[in-house]
Amino acid sequence: MTEKDEKWLEKKISRRHMLKITGASAAGAAVLASGMGGVAKAFGFDILDDDQTAENKVLFYGKHQSGITTDTTTHIYFASLNVLVESQSELQDLFKMWTPLAVRLMNGERLEESSQGVFTPPKDTGESAGLDAANLTVTFGVGPSLFDNNKLGLGSKRPTELTELPHFSKDQIDDKFAGGDICIQACADDPQVAFHAVRNLVRAATGKVTLKWTQTGFTSTPKVKDKKETPRNLFAFKDGTVNPSPKSAADMKEVVWVQPNESTGWMTNGTYLVVRKIQMHLETWDRTSLQGQEATFGRHRDSGAPIGKKKEFDEVDLNAKDASGNPHIPADSHMALARKVKDRILRRGFSYSSGLIDETGAYDAGLLFISFQKNPKQFINIQNALGRADKLNEYITHRGSGIFACFPGIQKGSYIGEKLFNVL
């Protein structure tokens, strides 16, 4: 720990403040006896640091949580959980317990240096042994139902924006894939590393949480002369052409990060995550002509350009007409309808393939749509604009849904979600 870290930590957790919180003389003794590292342990969690020498490592600590504007990885393991704890202090302890574990996982480390004995289960399930950090990010959020749990006493901390998403036209949401008290989004360039992260976090919280639903996903980013191109979805169309740039601080401030006084205080520098499990009817799509497919999206499939244009990022002109006087871009195309609203969101979509649907024998495949926005209204406005008119509705069905408030970033010495408990 550097001198700067120590001063910050001393300011953050003064001895007097600690005694006030714990009311335990034993804790005070621990402070005096073992220094600031002991303070953290007295609260029941270790302070671990990012290992910046680790291979393919993303930093855990920062102003914002990772996994939101960091580079998109090739795999995701998304988990929605319900809590079993029955008090606010138990919930705090859960996040404190997860904090050093998440740091270890993102360092590419196991949860224990070596097995403690053959007569007890290992602390780490071990399937990521031999693999590096694989750019793992672990992102935490809390859902509306957490604030409805009276035992937790968080009702007054609920942001007014954090309500369950409304029913949208053509929704066929299955309760098996809806909602949740907490979400964990683990993204990595190795599917086993992402799975290992969620598995071990949930395992460590046995008796405190239970899995509600999960979904894996994958994506591939083509490169031309080392320049990344827009990924394609399972309909083979480019997905995310109009995404704001995560590297633009101005864009992220405008679209993603909650600014002071824009929401409840603890959400400053946080964001809202919307997740939708969207089944794509591949068999129907594969029987549709290329012209019909392009009219559905309003773009050319291969280039990604708006219909009538040549390049992906050419300006969209919804009034442009062909030689017969017909609009190049159909008014009911996905793109034309989405352009009706000015709201923007940051998409991080992943394809999924989960075998077959028993009743129909069709592919259970589609898009695990995830977006981040500073206000859920941004997503809601876009989805309402698409409405029943969206030609893409013929080929997709929304099966799963959730919304979560993602905490701001974690500072060293703090823990996941601390501001939820300590900031009004």
Side-chain angles (χ1 to χ4, degrees), residues 265-279:
W266 64 265
M267 275 299 292
T268 298
N269 294 320
T271 187
Y272 292 92
L273 178 155
V274 167
V275 57
R276 306 280 284 181
K277 181 177 180 178
I278 305 172
Q279 182 188 355

Side-chain angles (χ1 to χ4, degrees), residues 234-235 280-294 296 301 360-363 394-395:
L234 295 184
F235 286 161
M280 300 168 76
H281 304 296
L282 303 183
E283 295 85 353
T284 307
W285 184 258
D286 291 345
R287 293 194 295 269
T288 302
S289 69
L290 178 59
Q291 185 180 43
Q293 293 180 355
E294 293 185 336
T296 298
R301 189 186 75 164
T360 62
Y363 284 111
E394 298 176 26
Y395 304 98

Side-chain angles (χ1 to χ4, degrees), residues 207-238:
K208 300 179 176 65
V209 297
T210 182
L211 282 168
K212 187 173 192 298
W213 62 281
T214 65
Q215 183 61 57
T216 59
F218 57 89
T219 187
S220 294
T221 302
K223 288 184 180 178
V224 175
K225 297 180 179 178
D226 289 332
K227 184 179 179 181
K228 291 183 179 179
E229 298 203 323
T230 308
R232 295 180 184 272
N233 58 35
L234 295 184
F235 286 161
F237 278 74
K238 295 189 175 186

Side-chain angles (χ1 to χ4, degrees), residues 9-27:
L9 194 55
E10 286 169 4
K11 182 178 179 182
K12 189 157 191 72
I13 310 176
S14 68
R15 177 175 177 268
R16 181 179 180 184
H17 182 57
M18 180 185 170
L19 291 172
K20 182 179 176 182
I21 293 173
T22 62
S25 59

